[in-house]
Amino acid sequence: MHLSTFLYASLFSSAIASPSYRQRPIRAGNRIAEGKNVQRSSYYDPNTDRADAVHEMFTHAWTGYKTYAFPNDELLPVTDTYSNSRNAWGASAVDALSTALIMQDQNITNQILDYIPTINYANTSTEVSLFETTIRYLAGMLAGYDLLKGPLANLAPNNSNVDALLAQSVNLANVLKFAFDSPTGIPSNGLFINNQTTDGGTTNGLATIGSLVLEWTHLSDLTGDDSYATLSQKGESYLLNPMPASSEPFPGLVGTNVDITTGLFQDAEGGWVGGDDSFYEYLIKMYIYDPDRFATYKDRWVLAVDSTIANLTSHPSSRPDLTFVAAFDGTTLELVSEHLACFDGGNIILGGLVLDRQDYIDYGLELVSGCHDTYNSTVTGIGPEEFSWDPSSIPADQAAFYNESGFYITDSVYDLRPEVLESYYYAYRATQNTMYQDWAWEAIMAVNASTRTDSGFSLISDVNAVDGGEKLNLQESFLFAEVLKYAYLIQAPDAIYQVENGGVNTFVFNTEAHPFKVAGTPI
């Protein structure tokens, strides 16, 4: 185990030696449940030593990336080389910006700010994902702009670099706009920008269509050019009004693949899993972004959550105390889930907060506990990429594990994913229960123990093997954007960009954890 300072060992010992968690007593301004009513709170309990330790992890990952990989996309932290899975525009640098800002790391912030104006988004030899480019590059720059034009303006002495964030956002969106040139306005996801062509695919997916609207609408609001919002909202309209009716097996829950030419769904398979996930996530986040303009999005989210609670809720036969959300094929449930889907608890908690629905918060907390079990049950203390609780398909060598844990592992990789930490964060911001801070601390220390290398952090092959099995030699950019941000924010002092700051949300996080200043009245 690579622990760079005594701070880790001493704080980890303190965490596991303190099993009694503090739930704030009811007092004026604290949240209580009375029927559906939710009181909003602004009392939180920071742990700055833990926040500092997470900052050290961020610095360690950045130093390795800067030394061996910058300005390429990712560090390969076993061989100390680099890869370019995101078009060689420096994905890790752009994805790291909002986290460096929130950690108030002025040195790293300004290294990134000096770099971003030099990116030529009009040139790459590799296929561009509209979705990934939007949530990482476009969102990373817009969030940096919001923070530097607002609460963290003191961190950038060169104001021209701040203005360049918005200018480069416009440049990038203009490069990508041809993706929406289809008979319906539904975009293609796979793009070749040098010759303005697509990959030729006839369909696009629920999440890859439905996770553009926050970023492109925000760009319009910042620039006054409505074209970006109009493009993204046109594609979204086919998801809000799904056809044919058979593609919506439960109210608000829809299939995955949509024909770009006709706008018709091609199936009725889906869930809160990868490929579908952030469509549902953005429905409530668009309402938070501007409740006046996006009330319809909220209504679709409520339909989806109510249907999820009524139809997809599942309890493993060996552990009926646990709650998971099943996937679906039509009205047939599939008892499978994955790390990506563990954002669901946090998203439903967030919706409960802004809609004054304690029942949603309580359900979300059940899901958070289920995902905690996937971490708490493995050798490394990290949850697997994919898992199941279908009793008809238990592998013989995992029967005892299923009986004890309530699930079995179907893909043992850990891809440096953030979703469990993300949901711990929302659970803490809703309840102020320090148990969730401790869960987050235990999780990030497990990540540090099993994925750390001399230059960064690596994917691992097996969360249920000692030391995580083999290190797979990739440090994803979302380690910077999401994993370390959520692990930091849950321990950090309150701030205006935190969820539920002062009982309202002045910022809303995109699916890559980049915070945008809301356009409407904060709720």
Side-chain angles (χ1 to χ4, degrees), residues 65 68-76 81-93 115 119 123-129 132-133 136-137 473-477:
Y65 167 72
Y68 299 110
F70 179 82
N72 295 282
D73 287 338
E74 303 98 2
L75 170 70
L76 304 182
T81 51
Y82 60 83
S83 61
N84 281 304
S85 72
R86 299 293 160 214
N87 310 108
W89 292 326
S92 289
Y115 166 67
I119 302 172
N123 183 54
T124 183
S125 60
T126 54
E127 182 176 339
V128 174
S129 164
E132 294 288 357
T133 304
R136 302 191 200 209
Y137 287 109
N473 197 29
L474 178 62
Q475 180 175 279
E476 289 275 13
S477 74

Side-chain angles (χ1 to χ4, degrees), residues 153-208:
N154 62 302
L155 294 177
N158 184 349
N159 198 54
S160 66
N161 278 349
V162 180
D163 293 335
L165 293 172
L166 185 57
Q168 283 285 61
S169 296
V170 170
N171 290 338
L172 177 57
N174 287 342
V175 165
L176 299 173
K177 282 171 79 169
F178 78 92
F180 297 89
D181 293 339
S182 72
T184 56
I186 294 172
S188 296
N189 188 59
L191 311 176
F192 296 95
I193 62 174
N194 286 356
N195 60 5
Q196 301 275 288
T197 60
T198 74
D199 62 2
T202 59
T203 63
N204 199 352
L206 185 66
T208 44

Side-chain angles (χ1 to χ4, degrees), residues 4-20:
S4 64
T5 66
F6 174 74
L7 178 63
Y8 282 116
S10 62
L11 283 174
F12 187 54
S13 297
S14 172
I16 61 176
S18 305
S20 86

Side-chain angles (χ1 to χ4, degrees), residues 111-392:
Q111 290 179 50
I112 300 169
L113 289 176
D114 286 341
Y115 166 67
I116 286 175
T118 72
I119 302 172
N120 180 7
Y121 286 119
N123 183 54
T124 183
S125 60
T126 54
E127 182 176 339
V128 174
S129 164
L130 176 64
F131 166 74
E132 294 288 357
T133 304
T134 293
I135 68 170
R136 302 191 200 209
Y137 287 109
L138 183 60
M141 293 188 295
L142 292 175
Y145 184 81
D146 281 349
L147 292 168
L148 286 165
K149 288 293 187 180
L152 300 175
N154 62 302
L155 294 177
N158 184 349
N159 198 54
S160 66
N161 278 349
V162 180
D163 293 335
L165 293 172
L166 185 57
Q168 283 285 61
S169 296
V170 170
N171 290 338
L172 177 57
N174 287 342
V175 165
L176 299 173
K177 282 171 79 169
F178 78 92
F180 297 89
D181 293 339
S182 72
T184 56
I186 294 172
S188 296
N189 188 59
L191 311 176
F192 296 95
I193 62 174
N194 286 356
N195 60 5
Q196 301 275 288
T197 60
T198 74
D199 62 2
T202 59
T203 63
N204 199 352
L206 185 66
T208 44
I209 301 167
S211 309
L212 310 172
V213 65
L214 178 58
E215 294 85 355
W216 287 67
T217 298
H218 191 44
L219 180 61
S220 280
D221 290 342
L222 289 174
T223 62
D225 181 346
D226 289 341
S227 67
Y228 308 110
T230 299
L231 287 170
S232 63
Q233 291 172 30
K234 177 65 173 177
E236 184 87 11
S237 69
Y238 292 89
L239 312 181
L240 298 174
N241 302 281
M243 294 293 290
S246 59
S247 65
E248 190 175 5
F250 307 104
L253 296 172
V254 296
T256 297
N257 296 296
V258 183
D259 188 286
I260 293 171
T261 299
T262 66
L264 298 177
F265 275 83
Q266 301 300 293
D267 57 61
E269 298 179 44
W272 292 71
V273 291
D276 305 306
D277 43 8
S278 46
F279 162 68
Y280 299 107
E281 175 187 357
Y282 274 23
L283 293 177
I284 194 64
K285 288 185 173 181
M286 289 305 292
Y287 176 71
I288 295 168
Y289 180 73
D290 192 333
D292 293 330
R293 279 188 283 171
F294 299 106
T296 301
Y297 288 57
K298 174 262 295 179
D299 294 341
R300 290 295 297 182
W301 184 87
V302 168
L303 273 180
V305 170
D306 286 348
S307 286
T308 297
I309 294 171
N311 299 293
L312 305 186
T313 301
S314 183
H315 306 285
S317 59
S318 64
R319 287 286 305 276
D321 56 306
L322 297 178
T323 301
F324 295 132
V325 171
F328 59 86
D329 184 353
T331 56
T332 301
L333 298 192
E334 299 177 338
L335 304 184
V336 296
S337 192
E338 56 192 20
H339 200 293
L340 283 164
C342 279
F343 88 98
D344 55 8
N347 187 249
I348 294 171
I349 289 167
L350 176 63
L353 288 170
V354 300
L355 299 179
D356 194 28
R357 291 288 298 266
Q358 186 65 41
D359 54 339
Y360 288 168
I361 294 173
D362 292 342
Y363 183 73
L365 292 173
E366 288 183 38
L367 300 183
V368 173
S369 293
C371 287
H372 174 256
D373 179 69
T374 68
Y375 269 54
N376 202 41
S377 299
T378 68
V379 170
T380 61
I382 304 171
E385 179 73 356
E386 297 177 0
F387 59 95
S388 175
W389 58 101
D390 184 343
S392 69

Side-chain angles (χ1 to χ4, degrees), residues 14-16 18-25 30 43-47 50 365 372 424-442 490-492:
S14 172
I16 61 176
S18 305
S20 86
Y21 304 109
R22 297 186 298 283
Q23 175 79 52
R24 288 292 160 199
N30 272 32
Y43 189 95
Y44 296 97
D45 192 6
N47 188 318
R50 289 178 177 179
L365 292 173
H372 174 256
Y424 292 167
Y425 172 66
Y426 283 98
Y428 173 64
R429 299 299 295 185
T431 66
Q432 302 85 53
N433 189 336
T434 59
M435 174 181 73
Y436 298 111
Q437 288 177 303
D438 291 340
W439 285 5
W441 176 248
E442 291 161 8
I490 196 171
Q491 312 292 352

